């Protein structure tokens, strides 16, 4: 099991205790990688005298299941990583996301996109670009960015399916260059064009990970966003959304990912590393921490020391 050394200072820059959060999606049981992420956020908050919050990211109704949400709570309590205040669910916050989307629309930085994935793939391949950009997602080549207002209205009125995309160039034109402070990497320039004109909502899903996460981190008063390196590039878009929506900018820390003994990342489909399976097969929380190379929760020499 490999984690590596991640550290957050005990005393936050500026002296205010950290408010952190763990934000899993209830689309499967938590695994050892989640235990590391949750423990990291919990410990950063606790060591600074701050608060640790739990948010269930359940906007994808086709994948979220109540038994997985229950599983998350069971695992967290079993590990001793209890959260402060009520548990929040994104499915209960759709109005807040709709209001943020309206606000962005008013700034002229959104456009409807009628492309299918296949069309996008063909366009990207035709232009000789790599089929996949960062995070394995295709960078949208901007096909629908310049449709006329009439054509947009006509196609929406005809009932065509569409996604709402963020016009990154127009947005950056409004905000100018942006930066965030990453406790691991230092001052970091936001480069949202690396992800391109991301989808912020769809006709039948009124929000997206990027929009909901940014709105909620601000609404919950999160001052330090901790998450895995695999989500590092999302922060480019989140920083841009914060600037457009006038939201405070938290600190960030993108921690190492837990790999198994073959160096592979943990996956929800791998039952053997699920916390439920480990608990059912009589492992103790201390064994989980030892597997992750950490001392028991609450001890002074843990990951954030
Ligand atoms: N819901 C995301 C996940 O489970 C994490 C989001 C975040 O920490 O920003 O991967």
């Amino acid at each position: 099991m490999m984690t590596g050394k991640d550290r957050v200072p005990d005393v936050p820059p500026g002296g205010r205790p950290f408010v952190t959060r763990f934000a899993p999606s209830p689309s499967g049981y938590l695994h050892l990688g989640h235990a590391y992420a949750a423990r990291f956020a919990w410990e950063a908050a606790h060591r600074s005298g701050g608060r640790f919050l739990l948010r269930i990211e359940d906007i994808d109704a086709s994948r979220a299941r109540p038994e997985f949400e229950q599983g998350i709570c069971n695992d967290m309590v079993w590990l001793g990583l209890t959260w402060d205040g009520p548990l929040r669910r994104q499915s209960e916050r759709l109005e807040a996301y709709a209001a943020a989307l309206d606000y962005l629309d008013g700034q002229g930085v959104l456009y409807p996109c009628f492309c299918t994935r296949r069309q996008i793939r063909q366009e990207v391949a035709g232009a000789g670009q790599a089929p996949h950009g960062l995070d394995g997602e295709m960078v949208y080549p901007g096909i629908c960015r310049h449709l006329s207002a009439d054509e947009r209205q006509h196609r929406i009125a005809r009932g065509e399916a569409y996604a709402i995309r963020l016009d990154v160039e127009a947005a950056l034109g409004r905000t100018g260059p942006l930066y965030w402070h990453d406790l691991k990497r230092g001052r970091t320039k936001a480069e949202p064009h690396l992800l391109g004109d991301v989808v912020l909502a769809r006709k039948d899903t009124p929000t997206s990970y990027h929009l909901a996460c940014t709105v909620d981190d601000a609404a919950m008063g999160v001052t330090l966003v901790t998450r895995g390196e695999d989500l590092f590039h999302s922060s480019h878009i989140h920083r841009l959304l914060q600037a457009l929506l006038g939201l405070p900018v938290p600190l960030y820390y993108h921690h190492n990912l837990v790999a198994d003994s073959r160096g592979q990342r943990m996956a929800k489909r791998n039952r053997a590393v699920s916390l439920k399976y480990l608990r059912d097969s009589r492992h103790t929380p201390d064994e989980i921490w030892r597997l992750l190379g950490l001392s028991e929760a609450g001890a002074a020499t843990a990951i954030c020391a």
Side-chain angles (χ1 to χ4, degrees):
M1 203 67 55
M2 294 181 292
T3 47
K5 289 253 178 288
D6 281 307
R7 284 170 204 282
V8 166
D10 280 1
V11 182
R16 268 176 54 219
F18 290 129
V19 179
T20 66
R21 55 36 168 206
F22 177 53
S25 306
S27 56
Y29 289 111
L30 298 185
H31 54 57
L32 285 166
H34 292 110
Y36 184 81
R39 164 79 181 261
F40 188 74
W42 180 90
E43 192 137 342
H46 277 254
R47 292 184 68 92
S48 73
R51 285 158 48 80
F52 168 69
L53 311 176
L54 178 61
R55 178 170 81 225
I56 302 293
E57 298 211 327
D58 57 352
I59 49 172
D60 183 349
S62 66
R63 298 176 66 214
R65 299 226 308 255
E67 64 265 36
F68 294 136
E69 179 184 310
Q70 190 57 53
I72 290 168
C73 297
N74 294 347
D75 290 338
M76 297 289 283
V77 170
W78 178 64
L79 290 173
L81 305 180
T82 46
W83 55 97
D84 298 306
L87 171 148
R88 334 275 167 123
R89 279 184 204 91
Q90 290 192 322
S91 56
E92 293 166 3
R93 303 247 315 134
L94 299 185
E95 277 173 28
Y97 312 139
L101 204 64
D102 267 1
Y103 185 79
L104 294 172
D105 198 27
Q107 296 185 43
V109 294
L110 303 182
Y111 64 90
C113 166
F114 304 92
C115 297
T116 59
R117 285 187 75 80
R118 186 156 170 220
Q119 268 173 304
I120 300 172
R121 240 190 337 264
Q122 280 169 352
E123 176 81 14
V124 167
Q129 291 168 18
H132 292 291
L134 297 167
D135 304 335
E137 284 293 319
M138 276 179 289
V139 174
Y140 180 65
I143 306 164
C144 289
R145 194 186 299 135
H146 302 296
L147 295 182
S148 68
D150 275 357
E151 179 162 4
R152 286 174 181 166
Q153 264 177 9
H154 177 70
R155 293 177 71 167
I156 291 173
R158 222 167 48 188
E160 277 190 48
Y162 62 91
I164 305 280
R165 290 189 182 269
L166 176 65
D167 184 336
V168 166
E169 208 174 300
L172 274 177
R174 290 185 74 96
T175 65
L178 299 168
Y179 297 83
W180 79 78
H181 190 74
D182 198 297
L183 290 178
K184 194 168 181 181
R185 301 187 186 214
R187 188 169 186 253
T188 305
K189 184 167 190 199
E191 297 185 281
H193 54 273
L194 292 176
L195 286 89
D197 291 355
V198 291
V199 170
L200 291 190
R202 293 184 191 279
K203 196 177 161 193
D204 44 5
T205 318
T207 187
S208 63
Y209 161 62
H210 294 304
L211 184 64
C213 176
T214 306
V215 167
D216 282 350
D217 282 340
M220 291 161 68
V222 172
T223 60
L224 170 63
V225 171
T226 67
R227 57 185 168 215
E229 277 282 356
D230 55 336
L231 288 171
F232 174 79
H233 290 104
S234 300
S235 302
H236 293 302
I237 293 289
H238 298 189
R239 179 66 191 90
L240 178 57
L241 291 174
Q242 286 153 7
L244 292 167
L245 293 167
L247 302 176
V249 185
L251 295 163
Y252 284 87
Y253 191 105
H254 299 90
H255 57 71
N256 294 323
L257 298 179
V258 178
D260 65 18
S261 48
R262 290 171 304 155
Q264 301 288 314
R265 266 179 60 185
M266 305 272 154
K268 276 185 180 158
R269 60 183 177 279
N270 182 357
R271 206 171 68 96
V273 292
S274 88
L275 299 176
K276 180 178 187 313
Y277 175 81
L278 292 165
R279 184 169 74 239
D280 290 349
S281 52
R282 297 186 181 280
H283 284 73
T284 65
D286 283 354
E287 281 168 343
I288 303 298
W289 302 134
R290 274 200 296 276
L291 272 172
L292 290 167
L294 308 172
S295 55
E296 71 192 58
T301 53
I303 41 176
C304 300

